[in-house]
Amino acid sequence: MISTQEYAAIVVGAGHAGVEASLAIARCGFPVLVITLDTNAIARMSCNPTIGGLAKGHMVREIDALGGEMGLAADATGIQYRMLNRSKGPAVWAPRAQADKKEYELYMKRALLSEKNITLKQGEAVEVIVRNGSCCGVRTKEGETFFGKNVILTTGTFLQGLIHVGEENYPGGRRDEPPAVGLSDSLRSHGIELVRFKTGTPPRLRENSIAWEILEEQRGDNPPPLFSYRTKNLKVEQLSCWLTYTNTMTHEIIRQNLHRSPLYAGRITGIGPRYCPSIEDKIVKFSDKEKHQIYLEPEGRGTDEIYVNGFSTSLPKDIQDSALRTIRGLENAEILKFGYAIEYDAAPPTQQKHSLENKNIKGLFLAGQINCTSGYEEAAAQGLVAGINVINKLRGRPEFVLDRTEAYIGVMIDDLVTCGTNEPYRMFTSRAEFRLLLRQDNADMRLIEHGYKLGLIRDDVYHEFKNKRDRIHRVMKVLKEKKHGQLSLYQVLKQPGKTYKSLISNELCSYNLSDEEILFLETEIKYEGYIARQMADVRKFKKIEKRKIPGSINYDLIPGLSREAKEKLKKVKPESIGQASRISGISSCDLSMVAISIEKTLKSEKDK
């Protein structure tokens, strides 16, 4: 059957990337078809029941400032909220929430169903339709053909998914869910390179089989730190998480059975995440460690399943059981679901532009784990950027690209499309050169203007933001003008131990600000010198980024350019000298040759 309707966009997959992409496009008035294998698994949390964390929490706040949904969903369905790294500098403070997994799914499904411009369809896309270098639709396993001006693939771990548990392996895209078969062959037939990656998940335990009374309790923060600038007055009864540790007995059982691990027996060929290793990897690679942290996290209010954070594994079921029972508090633990590893196809992201559109096939966008990333937040951010770029394309506007000075989202996408990755990419604060400017407390200051201009931020939200910004500016002005002895209040606040609330309590200032506004104000004042230094670095960065590389450049004709440089520049197709400088293997000499060639070409064209 061939559909007679042409959609503005077809989104394949309804995970964290697919949801953000489809909501953004639909909210801007364009019809979207969402095709997913299971309409009851919208934005399902395949692994941990957590949103946010180090750098990831920054991205969730950025998604929110741009008008995305993840922050609102996390606030609405959270069961525990914490601000991580409070003992360190504000650049690395990061909000994190335990979410009720089922409620999160239901929230996101309601969000999709409430959008009149979204058509949600259960099915399996097996082929992308490409005509004259442009993607114009998909065909499904069920024999249906759908046409759209743009196609966004957000397939997660489902492409040719293969699940491993000990000596067993079987096709699957996620626990108890089938893989997507056929689409990989279609992508390869259109020249898209695919690689094999791997990830995994830990066992789930029955709540009443755990000896909670002997474990270390981890409570949430009160009041709860929120993700969304649009969430007001959240009151919630928070649930605790609990800490325990592996021990030498645990490690010995795992070591003795490594030959039964598909990872170490050679049955898994996909490359796994370096920064979220399996328990087998931890025992082997950190053999000097006598213990590893294990966090026991509730998966929701209406379930007795407990997530064993830190024990991702694909060991056989009997070994998972015996190893877990050596851990304090888990001596009588009952496993409800066993851990597993999953291999899947992914597309090296150097094949995409910063807009996440494929460099060779117009109208084909890739977002999420198909771009070799890991994590819900990384996926959601990519989905939103892909969706925004579809919107701009439909409106005839330029590509929407966040650079490395604006957002962690910009850092991630630039890393992916410029440098690529040989393992599942995860965001860290250390990846950002300008992280003091990219704090979680100033995401709205950095990005909400973008969201408003795109039409993804409502008028009332934007006006509230402007009022907040004006309040902070007024207070900043007062602090600079008002004296306390020989010093201005601005200078007083710079001193160690001085806080804005102490100025109010001493009746030196009378402007009331929210805790969030105070955090922003104090950070801007106390770190003024460091911020000024980073701003100077930003100006240098932007100067290099402005030196654009023409799309018509022929690297083979540039004298003195190394063979390695020619190969990598032709593959990545950098858009600026700055982007070219971040490609591994490109030397300063290579950059000079490219810059000289561009100058000569421009001069020649000018003389004509």
Side-chain angles (χ1 to χ4, degrees), residues 284-338:
V284 171
K285 294 178 179 176
F286 305 100
S287 56
D288 58 318
K289 299 282 186 182
E290 293 186 354
K291 63 180 182 179
H292 293 281
Q293 288 182 332
I294 300 293
Y295 285 97
L296 302 176
E297 302 171 346
E299 294 215 330
R301 297 184 190 279
T303 178
D304 63 349
E305 290 185 26
I306 301 297
Y307 180 88
V308 189
N309 193 339
F311 205 90
S312 176
T313 184
S314 57
L315 284 163
K317 294 176 181 178
D318 59 316
I319 304 305
Q320 292 187 38
D321 189 61
S322 57
L324 279 169
R325 286 173 179 265
T326 65
I327 296 173
R328 179 176 168 82
L330 306 184
E331 293 86 353
N332 298 304
E334 179 186 348
I335 297 178
L336 293 174
K337 296 175 181 176
F338 287 92

Side-chain angles (χ1 to χ4, degrees), residues 4 11 67 73 122 209 337 542:
T4 57
V11 178
Q122 187 159 301
S209 69
K337 296 175 181 176
K542 287 187 177 290

